[in-house]
Amino acid sequence: VWEPGTRGEIRSFTGYGYWPLAISPNGRHLVCVSPRRFASLQVISCETWTVHQVLKGHTDILRAVVIMPNSLTAVSAADDCTIRSWDILSGRCLVSIPTQKDYVRTLAALPDGRSVISGSYNGSIQVWDLNAGCEVRRFSGHTARINAVAASPNGKIFISAAGDNTLKLWNLATGAEEILVDAHEDQVNGVLVDKDGKFVVSYSDDCTVKLWRLIDLKWIATFTGDSPMKACTLGEQGLIIAGDRSGCMHFVHIEEAK
């Protein structure tokens, strides 16, 4: 765990896999895969850095986890072909939804607080209603696995990133693919939308992090490193923090990228 301003280490944990991991919007909890128990999740307090709850119920390897806007509900997906939602405070499983052999690789929360988007290894994308416990819409068009999905703050559109080197912009209401961009020269490992709904950040095995305008996916800038980019997050005041395969972290400001 790092402090972006000083770039100093706050806390270190050992025995954990690198993925999946999620931090609650209020910054109070971290949810990650339990060490040596890859079908369960741990809820860690960001105040005491101790385990608050263990979320048990999946029967195969966990692939994705996200925390909903209320900061109280976590949603996970695993190779047991289920999506499960959890009460972070009590550890109780709220719902288990079968994905019908769609092996989910990534999840994103929608701002309505009741729905998530999933991306699967077979290239399909689904929207799930957690309250009803069912799929409500399906999207198709990518020709490789979906590595990441990210919704706009208003919940009207979302971006998908895939192993076919592309980004796609989708209309959530109509299900239409509105924009396709050949974004990178290798698979796109992730995509993020800034909290103001202005920018998209993508990162790839081609060693680049790219900045795009959300409304039309127009390219703005590229940061190039020396190793494939494997992780990325957005900090305050336009800060992009990217981690590459060599173990280096890169701190880039959107203002500078312009």
Side-chain angles (χ1 to χ4, degrees), residues 5-244:
T6 64
R7 303 179 188 179
E9 181 181 309
I10 298 173
R11 189 82 178 189
S12 179
F13 298 89
T14 59
Y16 288 81
Y18 78 96
W19 185 73
L21 179 149
I23 298 175
S24 62
N26 64 10
R28 294 180 179 177
H29 294 99
L30 182 153
V31 178
C32 60
V33 175
S34 300
R36 297 173 293 279
R37 292 186 177 91
F38 299 120
S40 65
L41 291 161
Q42 287 186 346
V43 180
I44 296 174
S45 168
C46 293
E47 296 177 356
T48 63
W49 300 112
T50 57
V51 176
H52 172 74
Q53 288 288 350
V54 178
L55 311 179
K56 296 180 179 180
H58 284 293
T59 59
D60 209 332
I61 296 172
L62 278 147
R63 297 296 180 182
V65 63
V66 67
I67 300 178
M68 301 302 286
N70 64 4
S71 294
L72 299 174
T73 306
V75 182
S76 57
D79 282 356
D80 59 8
C81 293
T82 65
I83 291 173
R84 295 174 182 258
S85 68
W86 310 85
D87 183 307
I88 287 177
L89 298 182
S90 70
R92 182 169 62 96
C93 181
L94 303 174
V95 66
S96 178
I97 308 172
T99 61
Q100 305 299 331
K101 295 186 179 181
D102 287 322
Y103 288 90
V104 173
R105 176 173 171 78
T106 185
L107 292 169
L110 285 174
D112 64 6
R114 61 175 289 167
S115 306
V116 294
I117 308 169
S118 69
S120 299
Y121 281 87
N122 63 8
S124 66
I125 301 169
Q126 292 105 313
V127 177
W128 306 86
D129 186 317
L130 299 176
N131 291 352
C134 65
E135 177 187 321
V136 295
R137 189 174 290 278
R138 179 178 287 254
F139 305 80
S140 60
H142 281 290
T143 58
R145 71 183 187 187
I146 309 300
N147 289 329
V149 287
S152 64
N154 63 13
K156 294 182 178 181
I157 59 176
F158 74 93
I159 311 295
S160 57
D164 57 13
N165 307 353
T166 67
L167 295 174
K168 289 178 182 279
L169 185 150
W170 306 84
N171 186 307
L172 266 164
T174 65
E177 175 192 315
E178 297 192 342
I179 301 173
L180 164 65
V181 176
D182 291 320
H184 290 270
E185 296 180 2
D186 206 330
Q187 70 168 348
V188 191
N189 291 322
V191 65
L192 307 163
V193 176
D194 80 302
K195 64 181 181 180
D196 296 322
K198 295 180 180 180
F199 302 111
V200 172
V201 176
S202 63
Y203 55 99
S204 167
D205 272 0
D206 66 5
C207 306
T208 66
V209 177
K210 293 190 177 185
L211 182 67
W212 313 82
R213 192 166 65 183
L214 174 60
I215 190 171
D216 55 7
L217 286 186
K218 180 182 178 180
W219 172 85
I220 298 173
T222 298
F223 169 80
T224 303
D226 297 320
S227 186
M229 297 295 175
K230 293 298 187 180
C232 192
T233 190
L234 298 178
E236 298 296 323
Q237 300 178 340
L239 179 64
I240 301 171
I241 306 170
D244 66 29

